Amino acid sequence: MYLNRRTALKLTGAGMLGAMTPGLSFGKKEEIIIGHNSNQYKVRMNWGMLDAGQNPVNNCHEMVEDAKGRIILLTDETKNNVLIYDKSGKLLESWGNSYPGAHGLTIGGDGSDQFLLIADNTRSQVVKTDLKGNVIFKIDYPKETGKYDYPKQFVPTETAIDPNNGDIYVVDGYGLNYVIVYDQHGKYLRHFGGKGPADEQFNCNHGVLFDTRKGQKDTLLITSRQDNCWKRFTREGTYVESIDMPGSFICRPVLRNNNLYGAVYRSTSEANEFSGYIQIVDKKNKVVSTPGGSQPSYKNGKLEEQKKQDPMSVFMHPHDVYVDVDENIYVAQWASKKTYPIKLERV
């Protein structure tokens, strides 16, 4: 049963609940604090809440930040596919009514030349727009690969932009699980991967990121969500390693400084509507904090299986995170009863 914050405090008391749940505590004025070690956060449940009659959301899929410091949210609600907030959670702008399968959101370019890549898995397209929503070009299903017979086989979930030359990497997470590479103008270049059990294949390649941290040589991190891991590849498509997160159905990797962040929409042991937590991975590929989940523990160098550990039910299927310059985390959620994003304020 869902135990909301007010009910939980009434039934158990803040001190008892915090004692029962490592990684969850209360600060001043009964603030909820989640996370582990040095990565702990105050929960701001109402950060992105708006008037649902004016600016509704359905599934809140992904978030990015533009050069002006605005937080851009993508939802598959066609009354306003894109909601643009300031850091306080105030709505600044909204647009978009033609993306019924809006799923992946990537920002590229610099300054006034910034643009968005929207992966729409209903339209079977990736669409490049400016920050006002004007369409620049579209990428249709990749028939050039010889792997796709018709458009609906292509169900793109995410994109990444090569920081060196602007090439676009598209992951087909809900389709045939290929990674398809295009130049900056949308011209097909190559592909790799596909669905399967081998190291170089995927089982729901849901997200993709260029890892630009020192020592990674601009490698790609690509989700294999049903395998509970991220996989590292060269930009040409050669498999390098896996970052295993047993029990965690992890979504796309997000980079801030030397840490990787990812939303887990559910764990292996729990698949109810109040599932999910956040993973924080350090530069050594070790999970150091799991806000909303069990404390990360390693045995013989391997991460032990994790699960949700949050009686306050802060999360409902986290789908993506954005991490700002102050390392605050903004959480967009899927199948969450049309709720708005949550902010986790770094302690």
Side-chain angles (χ1 to χ4, degrees):
M1 181 180 74
Y2 172 47
L3 188 64
N4 65 31
R5 179 171 179 262
R6 181 176 297 175
T7 303
L9 290 172
K10 184 176 180 180
L11 291 175
T12 65
M16 183 181 296
L17 188 59
M20 289 192 306
T21 310
L24 186 149
S25 60
F26 295 86
K28 295 179 181 179
K29 298 181 181 180
E30 298 176 348
E31 291 177 326
I32 303 173
I33 298 176
I34 59 176
H36 304 95
N37 303 313
S38 62
N39 292 90
Q40 298 188 37
Y41 304 85
K42 297 176 184 176
V43 178
R44 304 302 189 202
M45 292 292 291
N46 298 330
W47 173 82
M49 189 174 292
L50 302 173
D51 181 348
Q54 295 294 319
N55 296 106
V57 295
N58 189 26
N59 296 296
C60 294
H61 275 132
E62 295 195 343
M63 306 178 80
V64 296
E65 182 178 354
D66 71 7
K68 296 179 181 179
R70 305 183 305 167
I71 305 296
I72 303 174
L73 167 70
L74 184 69
T75 172
D76 52 12
E77 169 55 70
T78 54
K79 290 184 180 179
N80 44 210
N81 286 125
V82 171
L83 298 175
I84 303 178
Y85 294 91
D86 68 11
K87 293 288 180 60
S88 73
K90 177 184 176 182
L91 182 67
L92 301 175
E93 189 177 338
S94 64
W95 54 262
N97 56 23
S98 60
Y99 300 100
H103 187 279
L105 184 66
T106 302
I107 193 164
D110 298 301
S112 60
D113 293 325
Q114 284 192 298
F115 60 87
L116 299 173
L117 294 174
I118 299 173
D120 189 303
N121 52 42
T122 298
R123 290 173 48 166
S124 297
Q125 288 180 325
V126 173
V127 183
K128 180 179 179 179
T129 76
D130 64 18
L131 297 194
K132 293 289 185 179
N134 299 305
V135 175
I136 299 170
F137 66 70
K138 303 172 185 176
I139 295 174
D140 291 310
Y141 85 101
K143 58 184 177 182
E144 303 93 335
T145 63
K147 302 294 184 180
Y148 293 78
D149 298 320
Y150 50 90
K152 289 301 180 182
Q153 287 182 306
F154 180 53
V155 195
T157 48
E158 183 55 65
T159 61
I161 301 168
D162 189 324
N164 292 337
N165 58 20
D167 286 351
I168 299 168
Y169 286 69
V170 180
V171 288
D172 182 25
Y174 294 159
L176 302 187
N177 277 223
Y178 285 98
V179 181
I180 306 101
V181 188
Y182 301 85
D183 71 12
Q184 60 185 310
H185 305 294
K187 179 184 176 182
Y188 167 78
L189 298 176
R190 62 186 179 276
H191 66 278
F192 61 91
K195 189 174 181 64
D199 285 341
E200 67 273 13
Q201 294 178 309
F202 306 99
N203 192 359
C204 186
N205 60 344
H206 187 271
V208 57
L209 168 78
F210 266 92
D211 190 351
T212 56
R213 294 176 297 174
K214 183 178 179 181
Q216 301 303 341
K217 297 181 180 178
D218 292 334
T219 52
L220 287 157
L221 286 174
I222 303 173
T223 307
S224 190
R225 194 166 69 177
Q226 300 306 107
D227 296 324
N228 298 165
C229 72
W230 291 327
K231 294 185 177 185
R232 189 181 303 281
F233 287 79
T234 67
R235 55 170 36 88
E236 292 78 20
T238 301
Y239 170 82
V240 177
E241 64 173 343
S242 292
I243 301 173
D244 294 316
M245 284 170 274
S248 299
F249 288 81
I250 189 86
C251 296
R252 75 162 168 172
V254 173
L255 179 63
R256 172 60 70 182
N257 298 324
N258 283 318
N259 285 345
L260 295 165
Y261 300 74
V264 176
Y265 86 97
R266 73 172 179 89
S267 65
T268 301
S269 59
E270 292 185 283
N272 58 64
E273 65 181 0
F274 297 103
S275 294
Y277 44 87
I278 309 303
Q279 292 285 42
I280 304 174
V281 179
D282 70 10
K283 62 183 179 181
K284 296 180 180 179
N285 296 337
K286 300 292 185 183
V287 177
V288 293
S289 183
T290 307
S294 56
Q295 182 159 351
S297 175
Y298 283 80
K299 187 174 183 179
N300 298 324
K302 293 186 177 182
L303 180 65
E304 296 188 289
E305 184 171 310
Q306 291 193 266
K307 62 182 179 180
K308 184 180 181 71
Q309 194 165 6
D310 172 17
M312 305 309 290
S313 292
V314 169
F315 299 122
M316 296 175 66
H317 301 132
H319 187 272
D320 187 43
V321 297
Y322 175 72
V323 186
D324 69 20
V325 68
D326 296 316
E327 298 186 357
N328 302 307
I329 303 174
Y330 304 80
V331 185
Q333 302 188 111
W334 166 82
S336 62
K337 301 183 183 294
K338 302 185 178 184
T339 59
Y340 294 88
I342 299 169
K343 182 178 181 178
L344 303 182
E345 184 179 303
R346 180 75 186 266
V347 175

